[in-house]
Amino acid sequence: MSAPRKYPDELRERAIREVQTSGRPVAHVARDLGIHKEALRNWVRQAEADQGTRPDLLTTNERAELTQLRKEMAELRRANEILKAASVFFAKELDQPRTTSPDHGRTGR
């Protein structure tokens, strides 16, 4: 679960649109809207990535997919460790000499 957002989505969208359409510096738009300039700078960069104008950054969907794949990989690694430990345990069990009961090999006479 992600942290709650400090700024509403509507404000984020408005601020990004303002930067992209007005040509004004990010710092000026941020000051006018009461937003931290680095927050707005990051939003604009992410919007550009999502629009395909920033190929050097991952899109929002790519980031979400990467996060999900990392979670799955961590889960698979944990499962792999459990399976390795279980195989070692069972291998030790199989290597133990089997004890035979005193009746082994006798018929019921």
Side-chain angles (χ1 to χ4, degrees):
M1 188 170 168
S2 61
R5 291 189 170 187
K6 183 176 179 180
Y7 301 103
D9 289 338
E10 296 81 18
L11 179 61
R12 292 168 61 107
E13 292 168 11
R14 178 177 166 215
I16 292 166
R17 193 171 45 251
E18 177 72 22
V19 168
Q20 291 177 335
T21 59
S22 73
R24 295 176 57 214
V26 170
H28 294 181
V29 174
R31 184 186 62 235
D32 291 349
L33 296 176
I35 301 169
H36 193 277
K37 66 181 179 182
E38 289 306 315
L40 180 53
R41 189 177 322 279
N42 288 334
W43 299 345
V44 170
R45 287 170 47 103
Q46 190 61 54
E48 290 170 349
D50 291 345
Q51 294 162 358
T53 58
R54 289 292 302 253
D56 59 319
L57 298 176
L58 296 176
T59 66
T60 300
N61 290 338
E62 290 169 334
R63 285 181 184 276
E65 182 181 12
L66 181 59
T67 300
Q68 181 60 35
L69 290 172
R70 285 179 174 165
K71 286 179 184 177
E72 287 176 20
M73 185 160 45
E75 185 178 323
L76 290 171
R77 283 183 173 154
R78 283 190 298 273
N80 218 10
E81 289 302 315
I82 291 169
L83 291 172
K84 284 179 187 178
S87 68
V88 168
F89 173 79
F90 287 117
K92 286 180 182 177
E93 288 289 315
L94 291 174
D95 286 344
Q96 304 241 342
R98 298 195 185 268
T99 57
T100 57
S101 64
D103 291 340
H104 187 267
R106 290 189 185 172
T107 59
R109 291 184 218 180

